Amino acid sequence: MSAAAFTGTSVMDIDAAKVRGAGSNVHFDKVSVAYGAHVVLHPLTLDIAPGEILAMIGPSGSGKTTALRAVAGFVRPASGRIRIGATDVTDLPPYERGLGMVVQNYALFPHMRVEDNVAFGLRAQGADKALIGERIKDALGTVGMSAYARRYPRELSGGQQQRVAIARALAVRPRVLLLDEPLSALDAQIRRNMVEEIARLHRSLPGLTILYVTHDQTEALTLADKIAIMRDGRVCSHGPTTELYRRPPNRFTAEFLGRANLLPVTVAEAVGPKGFATARHGDALLTGAGRNEKAGDKSLLCIRPQHLSLTADSDHTNRIVGTLQEVHWQGELTHLVLDVDGTPVRVSATRLPIALPEPGAKVPLFFAPADTSLLPEDAGV
Ligand SMILES: Nc1ncnc2c1ncn2[C@@H]1O[C@H](COP(=O)(O)OP(=O)(O)OP(=O)(O)O)[C@@H](O)[C@H]1O
Ligand SMILES: [Mg+2]
């Protein structure tokens, strides 16, 4: 695969740039989708701001592709409206919506050269030859594939094919780019590179709104300004990426966005003006970031494995003790599993004490209140 990154040399035409700026937000207004009697998307209300990357993630069958296809115009909502910019597109055919779309399996036309694949949408729109030539050059330049214009898809690697699919989507100068698991057919190393390149691509086209559907929480955390987590046809949380990761509003979100330790606690002292509550776990009195917890509430204290330490820093004012069960050394990180009063607790440590404790040993763990989040105990959704 070419080492060239998406260089972002795209020459915007002024009209498209104008449309993108103000007109590229996507608004779902109580959009529901049903197949026969089976409702697969419950009324969804969601805004994607102009130029935002929204990652929609969730388990298989949770309705991610359905939501994206509703924006694209490939499924018709049973109720609700979809707007792109100021335009209500609910009744418009896909090709009038100003979108580019890339799906998992590239879907390049195998019998067409790269340049003809990229030109496809423009030809369908009846664009003139000079414009098409310019756009091909521009789109392939943007994805670092200028040297491959004359090749056929079968002569390209998976990563290169996916770049061409992105170039094809960009060639029509979309207001919104829809990506449905665009990298899932690629192997892990290429996927990581492509994630970085999509991030670079977006920096070069900052007004382009992107709806990025993925299973992969790392892709979502790396790329997205905001994340929407889908579960059973509903959005179970939606917010800025770092906020959702650091302060997940519910257990499903905490566990879907990376690993989370969830210690059952009872709130001892309600959330104060600085946003912290104290809570008991067995004998330990712990401080955690809360929302509106009150004394006596049963709650879960969420702590990410990398925020637990075997050595105490000055801000690590929380301390719990666990029995060491497993140690897995992985080069940069050592993963430990402990039992803390019946709750399995994972630690991912970069720093370890010189004398590593043996399995069966009682080990104190330290963590900072700011790295925690209290969740309602019963919050399945
Ligand atoms: N054409 C269809 N006819 C009937 N049911 C469908 C159709 N397309 C999807 N579904 C159902 O709608 C639900 C949501 O499917 P969708 O493809 O949106 O899930 P997803 O979140 O994209 O899953 P995945 O991660 O596996 O791609 C599933 O239960 C699926 O079986
Ligand atoms: Mg899907």
Side-chain angles (χ1 to χ4, degrees):
M1 162 174 184
S2 156
F6 293 147
T7 49
T9 49
S10 181
V11 185
M12 296 265 137
D13 61 57
I14 291 165
D15 286 351
K18 245 194 273 170
V19 170
R20 274 183 197 167
S24 64
N25 59 310
V26 178
H27 179 66
F28 291 82
D29 183 11
K30 302 192 201 79
V31 176
S32 72
V33 175
Y35 291 107
H38 184 39
V39 178
V40 298
L41 192 66
H42 296 275
L44 167 70
T45 297
L46 187 73
D47 266 310
I48 316 175
E52 175 179 309
I53 303 184
L54 176 81
M56 198 171 251
I57 73 172
S60 190
S62 57
K64 307 180 295 294
T65 295
T66 302
L68 179 133
R69 288 172 64 84
V71 178
F74 296 126
V75 291
R76 191 162 168 78
S79 65
R81 309 299 299 177
I82 297 171
R83 281 199 302 278
I84 298 176
T87 315
D88 185 324
V89 298
T90 321
D91 301 317
L92 291 181
Y95 55 87
E96 284 182 20
R97 296 187 179 204
L99 304 167
M101 185 162 168
V102 178
V103 296
Q104 178 177 351
N105 54 358
Y106 331 126
L108 294 178
F109 303 113
H111 58 288
M112 286 186 193
R113 294 181 193 276
V114 163
E115 58 191 5
D116 296 317
N117 265 283
V118 174
F120 186 81
L122 293 162
R123 290 201 177 116
Q125 288 174 1
D128 71 49
K129 219 173 151 187
L131 179 73
I132 292 174
E134 190 187 305
R135 292 278 186 88
I136 292 172
K137 201 164 149 249
D138 199 18
L140 288 177
T142 303
V143 300
M145 287 293 290
S146 303
Y148 298 83
R150 304 285 297 159
R151 296 240 189 135
Y152 285 95
R154 63 172 181 275
E155 298 167 337
L156 303 176
S157 74
Q160 290 168 337
Q161 289 182 49
Q162 203 55 319
R163 288 159 181 240
V164 173
I166 293 171
R168 185 174 63 179
L170 293 175
V172 296
R173 299 278 161 90
R175 294 188 278 174
V176 178
L177 184 60
L178 304 174
L179 301 170
D180 190 356
E181 313 247 7
L183 309 182
S184 59
L186 306 175
D187 69 37
Q189 180 62 41
I190 295 176
R191 210 156 63 213
R192 273 196 293 277
N193 293 342
M194 290 289 289
V195 166
E196 284 167 20
E197 295 189 8
I198 290 173
R200 239 171 271 148
L201 169 77
H202 188 250
R203 283 199 292 276
S204 72
L205 302 172
L208 181 67
T209 306
I210 299 182
L211 173 54
Y212 190 100
V213 164
T214 179
H215 274 99
D216 185 314
Q217 41 107 355
T218 311
E219 281 174 26
L221 291 170
T222 310
L223 276 176
D225 301 304
K226 286 193 177 175
I227 291 179
I229 299 191
M230 300 287 293
R231 186 185 191 191
D232 298 335
R234 291 188 168 86
V235 169
C236 91
S237 56
H238 172 228
T241 302
T242 46
E243 198 178 305
L244 224 52
Y245 182 80
R246 289 175 54 82
R247 300 267 186 272
N250 52 49
R251 179 175 194 151
F252 191 78
T253 303
E255 292 183 321
F256 207 84
L257 285 182
R259 284 194 182 278
N261 295 304
L262 298 168
L263 273 188
V265 295
T266 306
V267 175
E269 206 175 305
V271 176
K274 293 195 173 145
F276 291 95
T278 58
R280 284 202 178 280
H281 173 80
D283 296 338
L285 187 63
L286 306 169
T287 305
R291 291 187 174 77
N292 47 15
E293 286 73 9
K294 295 181 295 299
D297 285 356
K298 299 279 181 208
S299 189
L300 295 169
L301 188 66
C302 172
I303 318 146
R304 302 282 179 193
Q306 72 274 23
H307 292 143
L308 283 162
S309 173
L310 276 67
T311 52
D313 283 348
S314 57
D315 60 342
H316 288 169
T317 50
N318 286 321
R319 178 181 187 274
I320 50 176
V321 178
T323 306
L324 185 60
Q325 294 188 312
E326 295 169 33
V327 179
H328 304 279
W329 184 75
Q330 263 190 8
E332 288 168 28
L333 286 177
T334 303
H335 301 280
L336 302 102
V337 183
L338 298 97
D339 177 286
V340 178
D341 303 323
T343 304
V345 168
R346 292 169 187 278
V347 179
S348 299
T350 45
R351 268 193 314 150
L352 291 170
I354 293 164
L356 194 64
E358 295 288 323
K362 294 272 182 205
V363 178
L365 299 172
F366 304 92
F367 55 101
D371 290 331
T372 67
S373 180
L374 284 160
L375 310 178
E377 190 189 44
D378 59 350
V381 172

